[in-house]
Amino acid sequence: MTLDDFPCLLPQAAVGGHPVRVVHALRPAQLPQLAALTDGRAAAFATDMGFGAKYGEVLLLPGDQGVESALLGLGDGRDDGGCDPFVFGALLPRLPAGAWRVQAPADVGAGDIVLGFCLGAYRMPAFGRAQSSDSDGPRLVVTEQAVAAAEVAACICQGRDLINTPPNLMGPMDLADAARLTLSALGADVKVITGEELLRDYPTVAHVGMGSDRPPCVVVAQWRGSRADVNAPLLSLAGKGVCFDTGGYDIKPASSMLRMKKDMGGAALMLSLARLVMLRDLPLRLELRLGCVENSVSGHAMRPSDVIVTRSGQTVEVGNTDAEGRLVLCDLLSAACDSGPDLLIDAATLTGAARVALGPDLPALFCNDDAVAVHLLAAGDMCADPMWRLPLWNGYREWLRSPVADMNNISSRPMAGAVTAALFLQNFVKTGVRWAHIDTYGWNDSARPGRPEGGESLCLRATYGGILKIFDFDGIKDD
Ligand code: BES
Ligand code: MN
Ligand code: ZN
């Protein structure tokens, strides 16, 4: 990608003689120095207007020609003194059109400013409505180095787009097509498995999908970095791509069904992560599997009490057709383990229970390897993209017992639902394979700076940063 792909950014070289206005970004503690940062008039105006440098607070400062400059509050920031990138997302909706640059405290990374600004520039896909052009608004003046942060924003925004697209326009094959397009453009070898081949290789995915007139498929992508040889570490990614989850026969109440276009959020996240790994040309071998399927109610839908012979040979009783995500993932995990990955990561909007435990902003991390977990959590904390670890508590394994199959897809107890879902998945991960499972919400419930309401690629930056640490790629540029 190049800077030309980002209409909200203006390359320094293209500014020419045009005026560039300044946004002064500051914390409350810097308010006494406002007059030195700007000038006496501006400082007096800001005081009169009650500007407190609160998180995301924007104040436009008037001059002879209209708006002369602007102030952005960074709030008191995080305990580590760092600042989260999202705050710069408050700018685009407020600044007048024209060229702008941001003057921020020295500890704020230039990449964070670009990332946040771009995330705040996100707009829903148009879905047929007329929309004005992005380059008509304010633009951030940047150097060529900004492209790295802008690429991260592009990956996050692609995830948002895929999740936000209404389910009539984003069926299993639409999701697979989007993945195929993105991945093959970056040099991956992509297959979309359907029909007889799907029944043979991913029988559980086929079983979940048989209730819908839009047939299920599995995207399998393989890629090797230009600096990776055949012995390079293998990273394997898997994502739940349930394009709409009605719950099947154990149907969801209307209020819970309403959001279920986002049930492909795990697939969207893993696609974005694969894209970022490929954009950065990490010295890895990469495999990606997306289970693309719709969980519908119909005369040919799966029933509660069905027994499925999964790809691994283990049998599963369908205790509840609404616990379909773990069914989709189980075959993907078995297939992934066949290649002997050095690290296997899956992501899914798997349980409501994870949301009850941690709320919308903290994806739950389950991991069978402490060192991997520590790296992922630390990476998330570093970049304001946190996850929280929950246990693969063996004591609850027996809650998945079934009298007719090797296991049930639901727990016998109405407790620790995110844990029992993760334990179910672990049955399909070969011993010795380092595995991280992310149970995410994939959605912003409310609009905040840089985080519009709607689909969200939670923990993309955390997982990417974690991968750099886990494989010791610290020398590789990661911003
Ligand atoms: N996609 C849902 C989980 C979900 C619900 C994610 C709400 C985010 C927000 C999943 O397929 C599901 O329905 N899970 C059930 C499992 C239950 C039947 C064991 C759940 O969590 O209620
Ligand atoms: Mn469900
Ligand atoms: Zn689901």
Side-chain angles (χ1 to χ4, degrees):
M1 304 185 87
T2 70
L3 286 177
D4 293 337
D5 297 313
F6 304 94
C8 68
L9 301 180
L10 183 60
Q12 180 75 57
V15 171
H18 294 287
V20 179
R21 286 175 280 190
V22 180
V23 177
H24 299 276
L26 69 165
R27 304 198 172 90
Q30 294 169 285
L31 278 172
Q33 293 119 55
L34 196 54
L37 276 173
T38 55
D39 58 56
R41 258 178 5 137
F45 181 80
T47 309
D48 267 357
M49 295 299 286
F51 179 76
K54 288 196 292 286
Y55 182 92
E57 189 181 359
V58 176
L59 181 68
L60 304 178
L61 299 173
D64 298 339
Q65 319 276 308
V67 173
E68 190 169 274
S69 59
L71 301 178
L72 170 68
L74 299 176
D76 280 321
R78 302 158 51 196
D79 296 342
D80 58 7
C83 129
D84 81 72
F86 300 112
V87 70
F88 298 100
L91 289 174
L92 187 129
R94 294 289 315 281
L95 296 179
W100 290 85
R101 67 186 177 82
V102 173
Q103 186 80 54
D107 60 339
V108 174
D112 280 348
I113 297 172
V114 176
L115 174 64
F117 190 83
C118 292
L119 290 176
Y122 177 77
R123 289 195 294 181
M124 282 277 178
F127 311 129
R129 281 173 307 169
Q131 235 176 33
S132 61
S133 151
D134 286 316
S135 47
D136 296 342
R139 299 174 79 188
L140 184 68
V141 175
V142 293
T143 62
E144 289 298 325
Q145 277 105 58
V147 78
E151 282 173 342
V152 175
C155 292
I156 291 175
C157 292
Q158 181 182 20
R160 290 175 175 179
D161 275 350
L162 291 172
I163 297 171
N164 286 334
T165 301
N168 58 322
L169 305 177
M170 185 53 64
M173 201 40 83
D174 301 303
L175 178 58
D177 282 342
R180 176 165 34 198
L181 220 65
T182 298
L183 298 162
S184 53
L186 288 164
D189 173 45
V190 189
K191 279 186 301 201
V192 178
I193 296 169
T194 57
E196 290 294 313
E197 204 182 344
L198 188 77
L199 265 175
R200 185 194 66 206
D201 290 345
Y202 298 91
T204 323
V205 178
H207 196 87
V208 171
M210 70 191 182
S212 171
D213 289 340
R214 300 193 289 184
C217 61
V218 170
V219 176
V220 183
Q222 287 172 314
W223 172 87
R224 176 148 64 91
S226 70
R227 292 168 292 175
D229 61 19
V230 287
N231 299 313
L234 173 61
L235 169 67
S236 188
L237 307 176
K240 168 181 173 179
V242 174
C243 291
F244 195 75
D245 182 10
T246 64
Y249 276 121
D250 290 349
I251 195 162
K252 287 185 182 298
S255 59
S256 327
M257 202 188 295
L258 202 53
R259 286 269 177 80
M260 281 300 132
K261 69 174 181 184
K262 77 176 171 78
D263 215 16
M264 30 60 71
L269 176 64
M270 289 296 101
L271 174 62
S272 292
L273 180 56
R275 185 179 173 200
L276 188 53
V277 165
M278 293 162 74
L279 278 167
R280 294 291 187 268
D281 193 20
L282 293 188
L284 283 171
R285 292 180 297 137
L286 177 70
E287 285 190 1
L288 169 72
R289 289 180 178 77
L290 306 177
C292 307
V293 51
E294 178 168 23
N295 189 21
S296 296
V297 187
S298 78
H300 41 275
M302 68 171 161
R303 296 145 288 255
S305 78
D306 277 357
V307 171
I308 311 169
V309 181
T310 65
R311 175 190 170 107
S312 71
Q314 298 176 91
T315 59
V316 176
E317 176 185 1
V318 179
N320 191 313
T321 62
D322 199 9
E324 86 296 341
R326 60 198 81 182
L327 298 175
V328 172
L329 280 174
C330 74
D331 283 353
L332 304 185
L333 294 173
S334 308
C337 286
D338 287 349
S339 311
D342 295 282
L343 177 64
L344 171 58
I345 304 178
D346 79 71
T349 48
L350 200 64
T351 69
R355 301 309 38 97
V356 172
L358 298 174
D361 295 341
L362 278 176
L365 172 70
F366 295 86
C367 191
N368 63 1
D369 184 287
D370 288 342
V372 166
V374 164
H375 282 314
L376 288 168
L377 295 174
D381 284 341
M382 277 283 295
C383 63
D385 192 17
M387 295 182 265
W388 208 266
R389 193 175 181 188
L390 293 179
L392 289 160
W393 186 254
N394 260 315
Y396 301 156
R397 214 167 260 291
E398 62 191 56
W399 295 0
L400 291 168
R401 269 207 215 125
S402 161
V404 296
D406 293 326
M407 72 198 89
N408 201 302
N409 78 330
I410 53 159
S411 163
S412 55
R413 303 245 204 132
M415 289 181 272
V419 177
T420 51
L423 288 170
F424 177 94
L425 295 180
Q426 197 176 19
N427 289 330
F428 300 87
V429 177
K430 234 206 255 140
T431 344
V433 171
R434 296 189 294 174
W435 164 63
H437 156 59
I438 295 165
D439 191 337
T440 181
Y441 192 56
W443 192 266
N444 290 321
D445 270 337
S446 59
R448 288 164 290 176
R451 290 185 269 195
E453 187 178 339
E456 187 57 286
S457 309
L458 292 162
C459 74
L460 170 69
R461 292 174 302 122
T463 45
Y464 179 75
I467 287 165
L468 294 183
K469 293 281 180 212
I470 291 160
F471 291 110
D472 210 7
F473 294 156
D474 269 348
I476 291 172
K477 251 177 81 38
D478 63 342
D479 58 346

